[in-house]
Amino acid sequence: MFVGSYPLRLDEKGRLALPVRYRELVADGMVIKKGQERCVYGLTMARVAEQSAALKSMAPADTNAGRMHARMSFGSMVEVEADKTGRITIPATLREYAGLDRDVVVVGVDTRFEIWDSGTWDAYVAEQEAVFAAMESEGMPTLS
């Protein structure tokens, strides 16, 4: 399970040192891909296999929606491997998509982690704080 938020920095080559707690989770392989809200998702290969199976069971692959979902999801995936120091290289296309320059935040979201531009993450959190606070009062379960 990926949890926590980690403010980190990309180096000049677009490399990111993964949080130590995440390195063991991705030791058997991982992908990064375009995420929603202009971030980058990091997924284990096991999670990619689960998503593939779920996609096959949800919608026929020969529909417009099925093809679009598969293309958008699997088409932006890049297999990456951490080096000896736990760094991954984020390709320029994904850095541009998510606006990643130097300061980033890596956020654990259960079965994946997300890589956000620091300023974009701060703005997202500020925007969502009130919505999140209201969820519990509306009967939406929280992890407390």
Side-chain angles (χ1 to χ4, degrees), residues 22 52 54 57 97 99:
Y22 292 5
S52 177
S57 70
Y97 167 79

Side-chain angles (χ1 to χ4, degrees), residues 66-67 71 100 117 124:
R67 288 190 301 273
R71 289 174 184 143
L100 306 177
D117 168 74
Y124 176 82

Side-chain angles (χ1 to χ4, degrees), residues 31-128:
V31 299
I32 54 177
K33 67 176 214 147
K34 289 180 178 179
Q36 287 145 324
E37 289 96 20
R38 294 278 179 185
C39 68
V40 173
Y41 288 173
L43 305 157
T44 65
M45 294 305 285
R47 182 64 180 147
V48 172
E50 289 171 9
Q51 284 189 337
S52 177
L55 181 62
K56 288 174 187 169
S57 70
M58 288 182 354
D62 62 347
T63 64
N64 284 342
R67 288 190 301 273
M68 180 275 301
H69 190 274
R71 289 174 184 143
M72 295 303 290
S73 186
F74 294 100
S76 72
M77 287 183 182
V78 177
E79 287 188 58
V80 293
E81 188 174 318
D83 66 15
K84 294 176 204 170
T85 62
R87 295 178 303 184
I88 60 168
T89 300
I90 302 172
T93 53
L94 289 176
R95 290 194 316 266
E96 289 169 15
Y97 167 79
L100 306 177
D101 186 31
R102 184 126 173 94
D103 293 323
V104 301
V105 179
V106 177
V107 181
V109 187
D110 192 12
T111 59
R112 70 172 184 269
F113 63 88
E114 300 176 349
I115 306 166
W116 289 75
D117 168 74
S118 182
T120 304
W121 174 250
D122 290 344
Y124 176 82
V125 169
E127 182 180 300
Q128 298 302 320

